Amino acid sequence: MIELNVGLGERSYPILIDQGGLSRVGADLAQRKIAKRYAIISDDNVASLYGAQLIASLKAAGLECELFTFVAGEERKTLFTLGELASSMARAGFDRKDAIIGFGGGVPGDIAGYLAASWMRGIPFVQIPTTLLSQVDSSVGGKTGVDLPEGKNLMGAFYQPKAVYIDCDVLVTLPRKELLGGLAEVIKYGVIRDESFFSWLKENREAILTLQPAVVEKMVARCCEIKADVVARDEKEGGLRKILNYGHTIGHAVEGASHFTLIHGLAVSIGMVAAARLAVLKGMLTEKQCAAIIELLKEYGMPVEVPVELCRPTIRKYLLSDKKAEAGRVFFILPTAVGDTEITDQVTDAQIDKVLG
């Protein structure tokens, strides 16, 4: 088992990466004494695959729990779903001494975290991410929320979990497209923070794509290390943490313009390339390093171009409604080299139009 720590003083919490660890979650939770009763928030896909195993783990440790599910999909990440889950918890008698478990990918995790932040003005929660994207990104750092028709994650809160449990073994049931979506976020960490990790991803591509356990565990751990360090330095995105949004500004806009038919990670892949090309246009990044980023994404089988069928004015509309925009200014995280980035709002409409194609 690999144990990392998100250093936030009294609110610090562990990230526990453990092959086959899902069956041991209950025992660890019982030892930490976070709560005696847990509301497990999951989607119907994850619940059908692993719900019984998690419930058995909690009950074997003497913990009470109840599973609440919703239909899987980004389109369910709404205030309506949040309200339905809250009503279900109320009918089941959950109170402020209880806790919530976010169990699944980014959607269940984000909803569960926002529900925990809101339920009776805040109760503890833990994250058990089951997709690669959620294991390396959304489960760590305390960003929670839901989407509105006008944009992604416009309603939410910074609310840190008490612990994050990562079992890489569950990735064997992950659809190929979802695996690639998670790997886009993995590559992001190399671009923004660690050139040697970027090279390692290139060298170990085959082992990663075939989910060799030791390699995947090492990969997930390095991503979590990078994110934990950034979050500890800048919890609420006042400065440094914004670099984690590399690829997300245009990526979120592309995702929204596709009506969420393009999954988040693959949209981020497109967004990373667009940001790299913006950096080249601005003279911040060399053509050679931009090509290296594009090449690695292509080697992993990810899209690198904005789909021609997507409406460019719609993408621009989503850009302006991005939650990271300030006073109408859209901020971009642009690579200056593999392993380093710069945050800027000095991007012209003409430059954006050029990279959108």
Side-chain angles (χ1 to χ4, degrees):
M1 183 178 74
I2 299 172
E3 182 169 349
L4 307 172
N5 184 66
V6 181
L8 292 169
E10 293 181 354
R11 293 176 298 109
S12 296
Y13 55 92
I15 304 169
L16 303 163
I17 305 169
D18 187 12
Q19 292 177 27
L22 187 59
S23 63
R24 294 183 283 276
V25 168
D28 191 80
L29 282 176
Q31 186 176 11
R32 294 181 189 279
K33 298 180 179 178
I34 296 169
K36 289 188 176 180
R37 190 183 186 208
Y38 290 86
I40 303 169
I41 306 299
S42 188
D43 65 39
D44 53 354
N45 285 345
V46 174
S48 65
L49 289 167
Y50 299 110
Q53 186 178 350
L54 178 59
I55 290 170
S57 176
L58 267 64
K59 290 189 173 179
L63 300 173
E64 297 179 35
C65 61
E66 189 162 342
L67 176 64
F68 301 95
T69 65
F70 56 91
V71 177
E74 178 75 30
E75 65 274 13
R76 307 290 176 172
K77 189 178 160 183
T78 65
L79 287 168
F80 179 79
T81 301
L82 187 79
E84 284 195 319
L85 291 167
S87 292
S88 296
M89 284 180 61
R91 289 191 294 269
F94 278 82
D95 61 35
R96 25 180 98 169
K97 295 293 185 182
D98 300 323
I100 286 174
I101 294 174
F103 184 43
V107 173
D110 280 4
I111 291 175
Y114 194 26
L115 182 57
S118 307
W119 182 255
M120 296 191 173
R121 298 186 176 89
I123 62 172
F125 87 110
V126 300
Q127 291 272 27
I128 307 178
T130 61
T131 64
L132 180 59
L133 190 151
S134 60
Q135 289 181 352
V136 302
D137 187 58
S138 60
S139 66
V140 177
K143 276 189 176 181
T144 71
V146 296
D147 303 335
L148 298 178
E150 293 76 15
K152 280 179 63 69
N153 300 317
L154 293 181
M155 295 290 295
F158 285 99
Y159 197 68
Q160 300 293 343
K162 294 295 185 182
V164 179
Y165 297 93
I166 297 175
D167 182 351
C168 295
D169 286 357
V170 303
L171 298 179
V172 298
T173 55
L174 196 64
R176 182 73 169 187
K177 183 170 69 172
E178 296 290 343
L179 176 65
L180 293 180
L183 285 168
E185 293 280 1
V186 169
I187 292 170
K188 174 195 77 176
Y189 285 108
V191 177
I192 66 172
R193 203 74 171 164
D194 190 343
E195 183 180 10
S196 63
F197 182 53
F198 184 91
S199 299
W200 183 86
L201 291 171
K202 190 175 184 70
E203 294 162 3
N204 290 274
R205 179 177 62 87
E206 189 60 33
I208 290 167
L209 287 172
T210 55
L211 295 177
Q212 293 186 19
V215 175
V216 171
E217 189 175 73
K218 181 178 179 179
M219 176 187 74
V220 170
R222 181 58 188 139
C223 293
C224 289
E225 279 180 338
I226 294 172
K227 183 156 190 183
D229 177 65
V230 171
V231 169
R233 293 168 185 262
D234 177 20
E235 180 183 1
K236 296 190 175 179
E237 210 168 85
L240 176 66
R241 184 168 176 170
K242 290 179 180 178
I243 69 172
L244 297 173
N245 293 320
Y246 170 58
H248 288 62
T249 305
I250 289 178
H252 277 169
V254 168
E255 187 181 1
S258 76
H259 302 291
F260 302 107
T261 57
L262 186 66
I263 67 169
H264 173 75
L266 299 186
V268 168
S269 174
I270 293 167
M272 285 195 287
V273 172
R277 287 173 172 160
L278 280 174
V280 171
L281 289 176
K282 291 180 61 60
M284 299 165 61
L285 182 72
T286 66
E287 290 275 8
K288 183 177 180 181
Q289 292 223 306
C290 180
I293 294 169
I294 295 171
E295 180 184 7
L296 185 58
L297 289 166
K298 282 184 173 181
E299 286 177 354
Y300 273 90
M302 295 176 206
V304 297
E305 305 291 345
V306 180
V308 294
E309 66 272 16
L310 294 188
C311 175
R312 270 44 181 180
T314 301
I315 295 174
R316 294 294 296 273
K317 182 194 77 173
Y318 273 102
L319 275 176
L320 290 174
S321 68
D322 190 280
K323 68 182 184 301
K324 297 176 287 297
E326 297 175 10
R329 295 181 301 155
V330 179
F331 286 83
F332 293 84
I333 293 79
L334 303 183
T336 55
V338 172
D340 201 7
T341 57
E342 185 175 311
I343 303 164
T344 182
D345 64 343
Q346 299 300 304
V347 176
T348 67
D349 289 346
Q351 289 168 335
I352 294 171
D353 288 341
K354 187 165 186 178
V355 300
L356 290 180

